[in-house]
Each structure stands twice: as C-alpha cells, then as structure tokens.
Amino acid sequence: MGTKNREGELGLVGRILGRSFFQRHWRHAALLIALVLTGIGLFAAPLRAALGPALPVVQAVHTYGGLLYGLGLVVLSLRLFPWPPRGARAMHRIAFGLVVLLVASGIGLLVGGTLRGISTWVHALAAAGLVIYIVVHLYEERPKQLLARLRERRRAARDGRPQPGLPRRALLRWGVGALVAIPAAYYLPGMLRLGLGAAIGGRPSGGLSEASGTLPGFVPYTITNGFPDIPVSAYRLRVEGLPSGRREFSFQELTAQPAETRRIDFTCVTGWAVDGVRFYGTDLQDFLTALGWQRDAQPWVKFSSGDGAYTDSLTAQQIARYRPLIAWRIDGLPLPRTQGAPVRLVVPGMYGYKSVKWLVGIGVGKNVVMGYWEQYGYPQNAYLGSYSGI
Ligand SMILES: Nc1nc2c(c(=O)[nH]1)N[C@H]1C(S)=C(S)[C@@H](COP(=O)(O)O)O[C@H]1N2
Ligand SMILES: [Mo]
C-alpha cells in the first residue's frame, strides 16, 4: 500500500480521527508526548510529590489516554494492515512495535495479578525505547539548517534587506524535544534498571544483589537524599502514647519478641511488584497490645522513620485486618540498608508506601496523623486496588 492514498482509504476511521490524521502528524505526536510526560510524572517519586492532588488527574490522563490511543492504533492498523505502510522507515516500524508493547503491558498493569510482574518490566523497557525514539525523531532536523538561516539573517540585516524568518517548525521541534529529553534523560537509567533488573534478575534466589545492596526486583525509595545508616547497636524503637508511658526497645529487646514470617506480594503504586517475599518480625497488634495499648481509646497509630522525614499511620481496624509486621529480616536475610535496616514496618495487602522503612517511632493516640504520601493525595486506606492503575 502506498502512502499517497492513505487518507482516502481511511474511510470512516479517518473521518472519526480527523481526515488528516497522518498529515497532521503533530496531533498524533502531541498525544504521544502527553502520554510520555504523564508517564514520567507517575514514575518519578519527586514529581509524584510535586503533583500532589493533581496526581489522580495525571494518572487518569495516562491510563485512559493510553487506552484510547492504543485502541485507535489497533483499529487503524487493522484497517490499513500492514501499518505503518510498507516502505515506512525501520525506525518508525520499531516505534510502532514499542507502542503496541506499551499498550499491551499497560492493559496488563491494569489487570494486575500475575500479569503485573512481566507487564511492569515490559512497560519500563518499551517506554525507555520509545522516549529514545521520540527524541531522535524530533532532532532529525539538523541544526545546520538553523545555523544557515541565522547567517542569512545576519547578512540581510547588514545589507538592509528584509530578514527571512526563523524556521519556526525546527525551533518548535527542539523545544518539544527538550521538554521530553530532559526529564527522560534524568529518569531513563531508573526505567532501564527497573526493566532490566526484573528481566535479568527475576526473583531473588536467596542472595542480595551485590551492586545495589537491594533485593532484585525492588526499587528502594527514599524521599530524603540517601539511605540512613543505623547501626544495630545504636538502634532504638520508641513507643509513645501508651497508658504506661513511653517505652524504648533496643534491637536485641525487639528481636527477642515472638516472631513470625509473612509471605507477601510487595506492590508499589507505581507499578512494580515483587511477589512472594518473606518478611520476618513481630506482629504489630500483639506487640502493642502486650504494652497495654487501648485500641478503642487510641484508634490511631503513627509510624516515623529514622530518616527524619517519612511517616505514615494506620487505624486500629486496619491493623486488625492486615496484621502488619515490625520486620527485621527479608527472605531469610537481615534487611539491607536501602530497604530499611535494621527494622521496618511491613503492611501486607497494602501498597508499599505504608511500609515505613528505618522504623524508629510508633505513637498511639486519639487523633489521625496524616502520613507523608497521604499529604500529597494518596489514600490513607491503601489496600491493594484502592489506587487503580500504574
Ligand atoms: N522511610 C521511608 N520509607 C518508605 C519509603 C521512603 O521513601 N522512605 N518509600 C515507601 C514506598 S513508596 C515503597 S514502594 C516502599 C519501597 O520499599 P523498598 O525500598 O524495600 O523497595 O517503601 C516505602 N517506605
Ligand atoms: Mo511506593
């Protein structure tokens, strides 16, 4: 199929999407770029924080925009099979393939369950590939052209002739290119690590990954600049608000408590998940109850981190239902520093952001204390599925 008759051959689909869908390449590009930018916004923790209450809107744009785009593309490619038309450059064919992978893995992320693992790394790798394609494609117009035009303008000004305009299209392209390239370049290594880590590393086979000190598959978040280094000998867990007053536990005292293993699917709202992780520690509800916690009079429990910034909270009902663990081992090993050493909270059945790392404080009380991510619009009740999507 040649390219010149495409518009006519589009028929109904063409009329729905706009007759000049292909000619008006920019309409198509703008949609794709909006998807990439919202995707970066969802992927990057500092951007998620900056988005605050706008986050669900960004999420909706990304999810539904992606689905619409994907459906449009499938309809078009069926109608015009093979699409892109024969003769299209290899680079565009590859980009088309990447978009198909993104849509398929995006649907996989929405479906979740066992599809989530593979969908996460396919989505991350295809997104990284597509971003590279977009940037290369936008910069195909060589700067030589612009430089020649600038020289021409200077000459015209000197000779008193009217100056030719700047190639606005090229400037626009470069502007858009920078808009995509700068955040993408910053987050590309993270995307690749997420994709390749899951593809190559798979599930941990009992050992910590040497390079990062983090279990394969996990993305070790921190809202501060680094990972606190809390030696076991200096560690203290402070429990406040109890009728019997404040209590303090050393690592030895804490790990002498009755302990058990919970096997959970650790899931982050950003899409990655590590299935079947074993955490070992003491049951939060039993621990607090033994200290005299009055559940009805003190229905809120607040957790704070040794990083000095991260907090979260749970209600007594949530604790009774999800049975969180105060954990010090993961998959049979001491917690790595990046993942909350020496002690973290683990809330099975809730998104990862409830699982406070470097846990140094627990406070019980009458009133709600909003956690770090909740202040930015994430649900307090973060049971899996409460935050649909990617
Ligand atoms: N102190 C602290 N705890 C934290 C976070 C953080 O940034 N700081 N990130 C949370 C989020 S969003 C997730 S998904 C998990 C990540 O756990 P991991 O580092 O073991 O992968 O930790 C949670 N606990
Ligand atoms: Mo997370």
Side-chain angles (χ1 to χ4, degrees):
M1 186 182 300
T3 48
K4 45 181 191 292
N5 296 329
R6 263 186 306 176
E7 210 183 316
E9 284 171 36
L10 277 175
L12 182 64
V13 177
R15 249 171 283 138
I16 291 169
L17 289 175
R19 286 183 61 80
S20 51
F21 184 79
F22 289 96
Q23 277 72 17
R24 297 261 169 97
H25 179 57
W26 274 102
R27 201 183 291 174
H28 168 88
L31 199 58
L32 204 54
I33 286 166
L35 289 174
V36 168
L37 290 178
T38 49
I40 292 172
L42 293 176
F43 178 77
L47 294 181
R48 288 209 311 274
L51 285 168
L55 193 88
V57 179
V58 171
Q59 177 125 37
V61 169
H62 191 77
T63 308
Y64 298 109
L67 277 175
L68 274 179
Y69 182 76
L71 287 178
L73 203 70
V74 168
V75 171
L76 274 178
S77 57
L78 287 179
R79 185 93 183 129
L80 294 172
F81 193 81
W83 200 92
R86 225 169 279 131
R89 291 171 48 197
M91 193 170 89
H92 301 327
R93 287 182 177 279
I94 291 170
F96 178 73
L98 289 175
V99 169
V100 170
L101 283 180
L102 279 168
V103 173
S105 55
I107 293 171
L109 285 173
L110 283 176
V111 172
T114 47
L115 275 179
R116 198 189 293 106
I118 187 168
S119 300
T120 301
W121 69 260
V122 171
H123 212 72
L125 283 182
L130 190 71
V131 161
I132 293 169
Y133 162 81
I134 290 176
V135 172
V136 169
H137 184 52
L138 281 164
Y139 283 89
E140 271 179 313
E141 213 155 310
R142 301 260 216 78
K144 252 199 269 171
Q145 215 191 334
L146 181 70
L147 292 178
R149 187 68 64 88
L150 285 172
R151 263 198 306 274
E152 219 178 288
R153 272 166 68 91
R154 224 175 302 130
R155 243 179 283 127
R158 206 182 42 215
D159 305 346
R161 281 182 285 120
Q163 295 184 19
L166 280 174
R168 263 195 273 151
R169 243 194 131 75
L171 291 180
L172 184 63
R173 270 173 169 243
W174 290 334
V176 174
L179 195 71
V180 177
I182 291 168
Y186 189 78
Y187 289 111
L188 209 57
M191 275 196 239
L192 287 174
R193 223 178 306 124
L194 173 55
L196 293 175
I200 297 168
R203 278 292 294 119
S205 51
L208 293 182
S209 109
E210 203 81 48
S212 62
T214 300
L215 275 112
F218 280 89
V219 182
Y221 284 124
T222 176
I223 54 154
T224 58
N225 272 331
F227 306 105
D229 189 0
I230 307 173
V232 160
S233 58
Y235 177 79
R236 297 287 179 278
L237 176 65
R238 289 186 186 83
V239 187
E240 286 171 333
L242 294 165
S244 58
R246 176 172 151 166
R247 293 287 305 270
E248 220 176 75
F249 292 81
S250 68
F251 186 76
Q252 282 70 26
E253 288 164 335
L254 187 66
T255 51
Q257 305 291 316
E260 56 198 288
T261 297
R262 297 235 200 297
R263 197 185 171 91
I264 68 162
D265 296 342
F266 196 93
T267 310
C268 173
V269 280
T270 57
W272 60 269
V274 184
D275 290 342
V277 195
R278 284 173 295 121
F279 283 101
Y280 180 79
T282 193
D283 181 88
L284 174 70
Q285 179 170 284
D286 291 348
F287 175 74
L288 289 177
T289 304
L291 294 175
W293 176 37
Q294 312 264 282
R295 289 179 49 187
D296 298 325
Q298 307 177 301
W300 281 93
V301 182
K302 178 198 152 181
F303 308 92
S304 48
S305 169
D307 64 14
Y310 201 90
T311 56
D312 211 289
S313 59
L314 292 168
T315 63
Q317 280 109 312
Q318 289 171 331
I319 291 171
R321 177 161 170 205
Y322 294 99
R323 300 311 288 256
L325 221 50
I326 303 171
W328 51 85
R329 290 178 84 77
I330 180 169
D331 275 348
L333 293 156
L335 285 172
R337 178 155 77 101
T338 55
Q339 295 190 264
V343 174
R344 79 181 292 173
L345 187 69
V346 173
V347 188
M350 283 199 176
Y351 282 119
Y353 66 88
K354 303 300 282 190
S355 295
V356 176
K357 298 193 285 186
W358 312 287
L359 180 69
V360 297
I362 301 178
V364 296
K366 245 215 288 270
N367 301 311
V368 53
V369 187
M370 275 296 146
Y372 178 83
W373 283 114
E374 283 86 345
Q375 290 164 29
Y376 292 109
Y378 278 77
Q380 201 279 333
N381 195 10
Y383 64 90
L384 296 182
S386 63
Y387 205 81
S388 66
I390 298 155

